[in-house]
């Protein structure tokens, strides 16, 4: 999926749409975004040593996971975070990096979905998390 196709699934728009490409392979969402260096979240984090904030990395992984909801029950809903657990940051993500996330839905119950995700740069693990979200009309 390109960014225009992703916009049909996610309600996010500039500057908060944090997925440029995505595909579903064997039930897992694979998403990518190139960190250019001019993003709003790098301005001031940190001057002279820009690093993508951890909360933004979590948002990138969550948006990647949402492509798994294309069609079906997600129509007309907004995915809203309900929890984040076991969040770990291993390596920084900086301008010039291609951040790639792999996410999977581990279970669902009603409007609630539970996911596991990992984020990588050049195959090196940068972060991981478990999170949940609800589909809100």
């Amino acid at each position: 999926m390109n960014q225009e196709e992703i916009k049909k699934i996610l309600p996010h728009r500039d500057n908060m749409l944090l997925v440029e490409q995505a595909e579903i392979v064997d039930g897992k969402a694979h998403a990518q975004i190139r960190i250019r260096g001019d993003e709003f979240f790098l301005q001031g984090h940190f001057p002279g040593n820009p690093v993508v904030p951890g909360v933004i990395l979590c948002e990138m992984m969550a948006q990647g996971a949402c492509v798994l909801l294309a069609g079906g029950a997600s129509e007309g809903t907004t995915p809203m975070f309900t929890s984040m657990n076991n969040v770990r940051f291993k390596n920084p993500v900086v301008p010039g990096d291609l951040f790639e996330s792999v996410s999977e839905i581990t279970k669902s119950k009603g409007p609630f979905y539970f996911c596991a995700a990992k984020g990588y740069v050049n195959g090196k693990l940068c972060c991981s998390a478990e999170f949940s979200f609800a589909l809100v009309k």
Side-chain angles (χ1 to χ4, degrees):
M1 293 178 209
N2 63 33
Q3 206 167 43
E4 289 306 311
E5 293 167 314
I6 293 166
K7 285 179 181 179
K8 294 176 184 173
I9 301 165
L10 293 174
H12 304 78
R13 295 296 179 265
D14 299 331
N15 294 321
M16 280 304 297
L17 181 58
L18 301 173
V19 176
E20 292 173 334
Q21 296 181 8
E23 66 178 332
I24 299 170
V25 179
D26 297 328
K28 294 182 181 181
H30 296 257
Q32 297 180 339
I33 184 169
R34 172 75 60 189
I35 308 303
R36 298 178 316 274
D38 62 350
E39 292 86 357
F40 75 93
F41 51 80
L42 290 176
Q43 297 171 19
H45 195 269
F46 302 104
N49 185 27
V51 175
V52 177
V55 69
I56 296 293
L57 295 174
C58 290
E59 179 68 21
M60 290 172 177
M61 292 189 298
Q63 287 185 22
C66 286
V67 303
L68 292 167
L69 301 174
S74 66
E75 294 289 323
T77 64
T78 300
M80 304 288 283
F81 263 130
T82 55
S83 73
M84 285 193 282
N85 299 300
N86 301 316
V87 179
R88 301 286 184 265
F89 302 103
K90 304 287 185 183
N91 292 290
V93 178
V94 298
D97 285 347
L98 178 64
F99 182 75
E100 301 179 272
S101 66
V102 179
S103 309
E104 64 181 318
I105 295 174
T106 56
K107 70 179 181 176
S108 64
K109 184 174 184 179
F112 296 95
Y113 288 80
F114 301 83
C115 300
K118 292 183 178 182
Y120 303 89
V121 172
N122 295 323
K124 190 174 185 179
L125 182 65
C126 294
C127 57
S128 61
E130 297 168 357
F131 52 88
S132 63
F133 55 90
L135 297 179
V136 178
K137 295 235 180 235

